Amino acid sequence: MLRTALRNLIAHKTRLIMTALAVVLGVAFVSGTLVFGDTVTRALRGASADNLKDVAVSVQAESEWESESDAVEDRSTALTGDLAEKVKDVPGVTSVRPTVNGTATLATKDGRPLNADMSWQNLATNYAPDDHDRDSRYPLSTGRAPTGEDELLLERRTAEKAGYELGDTVRFAVNGPALTGRLVGTVETDDPRVTAGGSLVLFDTDTAQRLLLQPDRFDELAVGSAPGTDNRQLAQEVSEVLPEESITATSGAELAKEQADDIVRSTGEMTKVLIAFAGIALFVGIFLIANTFTMLVAQRSRETALLRAVGASRRQVVRAVLIEAGLLGLVASAVGFALGIGIATAMRPLLNMAGAGLPDGSLVISAGTLVWSLVVGVGVTVFAAWLPSRKAAKVAPVEALSTVDQAPPKRSMVFRNSLGGVLTGAGVLVMLLVSTQEGGDDSNLLAAAFGSVLTLIGMIALAPLLSRPLVRLAGALTSRLSGVSGMLARENALRNPRRTAATASALMIGLTLITGMSVVGKSTQAALEDDAVRGMTAEYKVSDADFNGIEPALGAKVDDVPGVTASAPLTSSTLMAEDEFATVTGADPKRLERVTDLKFTSGSLAGVGPGEVALSEEYAEKTGLSQGDTFRAEIGAEDSQKLTVAGVYESTRVVEDVLGTYDDVLPYSEGGKLDSVLVGTAPGTEGLDQDIREALGNSPLLQVQDKEQLTKEEAGPIDLLLNMMYGLLGMTVVIGVLGVVNTLAMSVFERTREIGLLRAIGLDDRGVKQMVRLESVVISLFGAALGVGTGIFLAWSLGSLTGSSLTTYETVLPWARLGLFLLLALAVGVLAAVWPARRAVRLNMLRSLNAE
């Protein structure tokens, strides 16, 4: 039986090539993900270890906030210069490198902000040279170290992006107004935050303390030790000279381990996501593999009957089919593993081109990755071939005497249809229940996942039943357009509903997921876009990228910009009333009316005044307050005061929970600053953003955004996420295409005599090609219709979970994309039929009539 399995594998290698490709692609996805994950983990660990190679002990303290006045708070720590000297006197300590950390956002040479939307990634620190006038953390690539407050260094790639050269004056901002410094050098770094698109500015230590922290204060003391020192013991000795207030001393080895653990967790999450998509691709491949072996078993029924007649048991027949599948899976897995290594090799440079900033490192190919790749590939192939092998074992020895042309007996689909109906019904009920829930808590998400899986599996089970009406509908069109060829294509697709359903299901799964994500993504994007500018009639919004606020004096300068017709400074604070927390926005009602369009359900904006506030509908419902009510509230955690409800309005992003006057709220705002300034311009006036920036000091942290930029900032990441999902799920569509090609190719082989007879009675080569092509199109459109329909339903039912956090969320169908998916299915059908159709017309007519 082993020799029989080997002979069958070699004899049908052409028919099995598409099945092997499905396994190859799935295994390549798995092995590529594992190799890439291991490679990135080791590279990041190496970069982390390099950063800590000179750190024997790290002394760190929590940040403290010290108020110089009621309005200003400065960050500080308990690490001082005196403490650094004490640590340096500990036996075994050879050096102490004090470090100051913070952020600084640059302006490019042409005046535009650099990475202002990622200000948290714009790093700033001190350049701390050792006895050899070098800072080992940041090797100089050009120039020299800074020696005064008017000099600075930039990371080499940062300088290139910003367009600066040595000697240029660099504009930057730390937490407010624009500052300048002369560029005296550039440095290198492997910090992932910088290589991934951030920036790095370095000052001398005194300047860094003044700008980022406080004089004579540090964020970290990096302690060096002599070779052979027990750094864990040294950390304990250093701890003894430290004050007890929230200062810790950690050995470099422990710090490296903590960072390594963080890296493993972060890369592990990414690997899990990629493995999940690889699992989806392999799940789709199961349909292709099962379909292929089902057809092979049917074609070899006489051969199997002869084996049974000469003494082969059912178990031996099952074993032969599974051995054949195992060998196929083994070969395909080996090829897939090799392809996966190639994918992993290409992923890092591709991601770095997109700004991922992954460090260099050697490729990591572990034995575990090889074993898992082979286990997954062989396991999936054998599992998919198990049911066809049992079907082969049921072939009776007497069937060896029957003609090969005798149609196999049709199996009843009552049980399958009943099971499919139960599963689909249960899934639909669960999803309808999910559609009534609000909030994306774990229980709702688990129910949504369970209902989606039930629905999808139920639709797969019902696919043969659904194929008849849907294929007949599509076939009616092909018959009308293509006559006899179209009619034959329809009948061929209907001849074996199970096979048609299995082929279409591979496409259906991929399109269900892609459609569902497209609908949810488009709906969320539309809601975010609407939410970003709803109720705002102003052309521009001015804000601080680092959320440090804007000085009120700057806000007053906006009115002096030519072309500006109205402006409304906005400030905010916290408010607590009736045990319900809220954000209170302060604005001049008359100025606000000119740049917003608030919808009041009771009262009006004109009613807002000293001691009189307006409430959003949501906050009014929470507190039970309405127009005319008087209540006591704490603003900015201060003593409560008496307020009157002047009106109730529909909440917007501009004015969320409560609206009060500018003068009432500004004293309680953080730092006494503005959150933003809304700016209205004269009709037809464009391009005022740079003029507004110049009028307000042109700080790199200053954001002047129009409505398009505001909506893009809110909804832009959705498109990026969708494109990533399309790329990851594209593998399932590719495997679905392979399934259509394989099914058609093997179907052509099955119908060799039939095709010969059709050609003998007058069907020309064009008609044969058209028949195969239309059959492929009908099957593809059937899978697309099921996938798109199921995806829309699942997306609609999941909408309530998203809608609870986005009040403007409504299910929006992206008709253009849905139409594109259907056109894609049509193209899949046409392209998948190219090879089978050519094979059909190359059949010799006389030999076809004598084929068995």
Side-chain angles (χ1 to χ4, degrees):
M1 296 305 292
L2 177 60
R3 287 196 298 270
T4 300
L6 289 170
R7 180 184 62 79
N8 284 333
L9 185 63
I10 296 172
H12 302 111
K13 56 182 179 294
T14 303
R15 300 181 216 172
L16 291 170
I17 189 169
M18 295 299 171
T19 302
L21 277 176
V23 180
V24 166
L25 292 176
V27 171
F29 208 152
V30 173
S31 62
T33 296
L34 294 176
V35 171
F36 176 71
D38 291 342
T39 300
V40 170
T41 298
R42 176 179 289 183
L44 289 173
R45 277 181 167 179
S48 176
D50 288 342
N51 288 335
L52 295 171
K53 63 182 179 181
D54 296 326
V55 179
V57 177
S58 173
V59 180
Q60 299 182 26
E62 296 180 0
S63 291
E64 303 169 351
W65 294 94
E66 300 178 353
S67 298
E68 291 186 357
S69 67
D70 292 338
V72 178
E73 287 187 337
D74 289 331
R75 188 172 68 89
S76 182
T77 72
L79 300 182
T80 65
D82 291 340
L83 184 60
E85 291 299 323
K86 288 183 180 179
V87 172
K88 194 170 184 178
D89 291 337
V90 173
V93 172
T94 58
S95 65
V96 175
R97 184 179 64 214
T99 302
V100 181
N101 297 318
T103 60
T105 300
L106 297 171
T108 61
K109 197 169 184 178
D110 62 5
R112 298 285 178 175
L114 179 68
N115 299 333
D117 55 342
M118 296 191 303
S119 59
W120 56 271
Q121 210 169 353
N122 298 331
L123 308 182
T125 187
N126 63 315
Y127 186 82
D130 55 20
D131 295 337
H132 303 286
D133 291 329
R134 295 193 304 268
D135 188 332
S136 58
R137 300 172 301 168
Y138 306 109
L140 283 168
S141 56
T142 60
R144 59 173 177 80
T147 57
E149 63 180 12
D150 61 341
E151 295 182 345
L152 54 81
L153 300 173
L154 294 179
E155 190 268 336
R156 177 181 56 81
R157 283 160 293 200
T158 300
E160 291 174 356
K161 286 189 294 184
Y164 289 118
E165 298 179 352
L166 293 185
D168 287 344
T169 297
V170 178
R171 294 180 63 254
F172 65 94
V174 174
N175 59 5
L179 304 171
T180 60
R182 187 164 61 90
L183 181 63
V184 297
T186 59
V187 301
E188 299 286 346
T189 183
D190 291 327
D191 191 317
R193 293 172 296 179
V194 179
T195 58
S199 62
L200 175 63
V201 186
L202 299 99
F203 310 97
D204 68 85
T205 299
D206 290 340
T207 303
Q209 288 175 324
R210 178 174 58 83
L211 294 176
L212 307 176
L213 195 55
Q214 280 191 8
D216 196 37
R217 290 292 189 272
F218 302 99
D219 288 299
E220 179 187 12
L221 302 178
V223 179
S225 65
T229 303
D230 184 346
N231 291 332
R232 294 181 185 273
Q233 178 63 34
L234 182 62
Q236 294 180 359
E237 294 174 0
V238 169
S239 297
E240 294 176 0
V241 303
L242 300 177
E244 295 182 359
E245 63 249 23
S246 65
I247 301 179
T248 58
T250 308
S251 71
E254 291 177 352
L255 198 59
K257 182 179 182 303
E258 290 175 5
Q259 292 187 4
D261 291 341
D262 290 340
I263 289 169
V264 169
R265 279 193 294 269
S266 61
T267 55
E269 292 300 320
M270 178 184 64
T271 301
K272 288 178 183 177
V273 171
L274 293 176
I275 287 292
F277 282 96
I280 294 172
L282 287 168
F283 179 65
V284 173
I286 287 175
F287 292 89
L288 171 54
I289 299 166
N291 220 13
T292 300
F293 277 94
T294 298
M295 297 174 75
L296 286 175
V297 164
Q299 292 170 12
R300 299 202 303 248
S301 58
R302 174 177 287 184
E303 176 185 329
T304 304
L306 285 172
L307 287 173
R308 293 292 313 282
V310 297
S313 66
R314 289 190 173 188
R315 180 173 296 180
Q316 286 178 309
V317 172
V318 170
R319 193 179 302 155
V321 176
L322 294 183
I323 289 173
E324 184 178 349
L327 292 173
L328 173 68
L330 185 63
V331 173
S333 298
V335 176
F337 176 74
L339 179 60
I341 294 175
I343 292 173
T345 304
M347 280 182 72
R348 180 165 50 194
L350 287 175
L351 289 173
N352 283 342
M353 288 174 61
L358 299 175
D360 293 331
S362 59
L363 206 64
V364 179
I365 306 172
S366 66
T369 299
L370 174 60
V371 171
W372 273 112
S373 299
L374 296 179
V375 168
V376 168
V378 174
V380 166
T381 310
V382 171
F383 174 76
W386 181 67
L387 284 177
S389 71
R390 290 178 59 85
K391 182 180 178 182
K394 293 179 181 178
V395 175
V398 72
E399 292 185 32
L401 304 176
S402 64
T403 173
V404 73
D405 291 329
Q406 182 178 352
K410 292 186 178 181
R411 291 184 293 158
S412 172
M413 291 196 296
V414 172
F415 175 75
R416 175 169 179 163
N417 292 340
S418 301
L419 179 62
V422 171
L423 292 176
T424 304
V428 169
L429 287 176
V430 171
M431 296 310 294
L432 290 177
L433 177 62
V434 168
S435 69
T436 64
Q437 305 301 307
E438 293 184 358
D441 56 55
D442 291 344
S443 59
N444 286 341
L445 291 176
L446 186 62
F450 179 66
S452 298
V453 171
L454 273 183
T455 304
L456 190 56
I457 293 176
M459 291 298 295
I460 292 171
L462 282 179
L465 179 64
L466 297 174
S467 67
R468 293 188 178 277
L470 293 179
V471 169
R472 287 188 185 279
L473 181 62
L477 180 61
T478 59
S479 299
R480 184 178 296 273
L481 295 177
S482 306
V484 173
S485 296
M487 181 186 66
L488 290 172
R490 180 191 63 196
E491 295 305 316
N492 287 335
L494 290 171
R495 181 179 301 183
N496 193 328
R498 292 176 184 270
R499 182 186 304 170
T500 298
T503 306
S505 292
L507 277 175
M508 181 192 77
I509 295 169
L511 285 176
T512 295
L513 297 173
I514 290 175
T515 299
M517 289 183 177
S518 295
V519 174
V520 171
K522 182 64 176 177
S523 302
T524 303
Q525 189 176 45
L528 288 172
E529 289 176 352
D530 180 63
D531 196 48
V533 297
R534 187 163 58 96
M536 180 177 129
T537 59
E539 279 69 37
Y540 294 100
K541 178 182 178 181
V542 182
S543 59
D544 184 90
D546 213 17
F547 304 102
N548 288 317
I550 302 172
E551 293 292 341
L554 288 179
K557 294 182 178 181
V558 175
D559 290 330
D560 298 331
V561 178
V564 172
T565 58
S567 70
L570 304 180
T571 187
S572 69
S573 184
T574 59
L575 181 143
M576 178 70 74
E578 307 295 335
D579 295 326
E580 292 290 346
F581 179 84
T583 298
V584 56
T585 301
D588 183 328
K590 292 182 179 179
R591 296 170 71 98
L592 185 64
E593 188 175 22
R594 300 178 64 187
V595 291
T596 61
D597 182 24
L598 294 182
K599 306 293 185 183
F600 275 76
T601 57
S602 65
S604 65
L605 183 58
V608 177
E612 296 180 304
V613 299
L615 309 181
S616 69
E617 290 179 325
E618 291 80 3
Y619 193 66
E621 183 178 351
K622 287 180 181 178
T623 57
L625 298 172
S626 59
Q627 183 187 2
D629 289 347
T630 299
F631 64 99
R632 300 199 68 85
E634 294 179 2
I635 301 181
E638 299 291 336
D639 293 337
S640 64
Q641 52 187 283
K642 187 177 180 181
L643 299 174
T644 301
V645 179
V648 178
Y649 61 90
E650 295 178 5
S651 177
T652 68
R653 183 70 63 87
V654 178
V655 184
E656 297 184 32
D657 302 319
V658 181
L659 172 64
T661 64
Y662 179 84
D663 293 333
D664 280 351
V665 178
L666 183 62
Y668 304 103
S669 64
E670 185 174 354
K673 294 183 178 181
L674 306 177
D675 290 341
S676 61
V677 180
L678 301 183
V679 182
T681 62
T685 305
E686 296 181 357
L688 287 184
D689 57 328
Q690 191 60 29
D691 293 338
I692 295 172
R693 293 183 59 83
E694 294 289 347
L696 301 185
N698 203 10
S699 167
L701 286 172
L702 200 66
Q703 286 186 312
V704 183
Q705 299 167 292
D706 58 23
K707 290 184 178 180
E708 183 179 351
Q709 291 169 326
L710 287 170
T711 56
K712 185 177 180 181
E713 182 181 49
E714 289 290 331
I718 301 294
D719 268 337
L720 177 62
L721 181 62
L722 283 178
N723 290 334
M724 290 176 59
M725 294 299 104
Y726 291 156
L728 293 171
L729 290 173
M731 188 72 72
T732 65
V733 177
V734 171
I735 294 176
V737 173
L738 295 178
V740 177
V741 174
N742 206 36
T743 298
L744 289 175
M746 298 185 74
S747 181
V748 166
F749 179 82
E750 277 186 347
R751 302 200 301 263
T752 298
R753 177 178 291 183
E754 176 186 318
I755 292 172
L757 181 60
L758 289 171
R759 295 181 66 192
I761 62 177
L763 189 65
D764 58 11
D765 289 353
R766 180 181 178 185
V768 172
K769 284 185 176 181
Q770 195 171 48
M771 176 186 69
V772 176
R773 189 181 302 119
L774 290 175
E775 181 183 355
S776 176
V777 167
V778 167
I779 293 174
S780 298
L781 287 179
F782 168 55
L786 287 184
V788 171
T790 305
I792 291 174
F793 169 73
L794 294 178
W796 168 81
S797 56
L798 290 170
S800 63
L801 304 185
T802 305
S804 61
S805 56
L806 283 173
T807 56
T808 57
Y809 183 91
E810 292 181 358
T811 300
V812 177
L813 297 182
W815 293 109
R817 292 188 183 183
L818 297 182
L820 182 63
F821 296 157
L822 293 176
L823 287 176
L824 176 65
L826 181 64
V828 164
V830 173
L831 294 176
V834 171
W835 179 53
R838 290 184 54 148
R839 183 178 180 184
V841 298
R842 288 180 178 178
L843 294 175
N844 183 281
M845 187 185 306
L846 294 178
R847 290 179 182 174
S848 297
L849 291 172
N850 292 322
E852 293 186 353

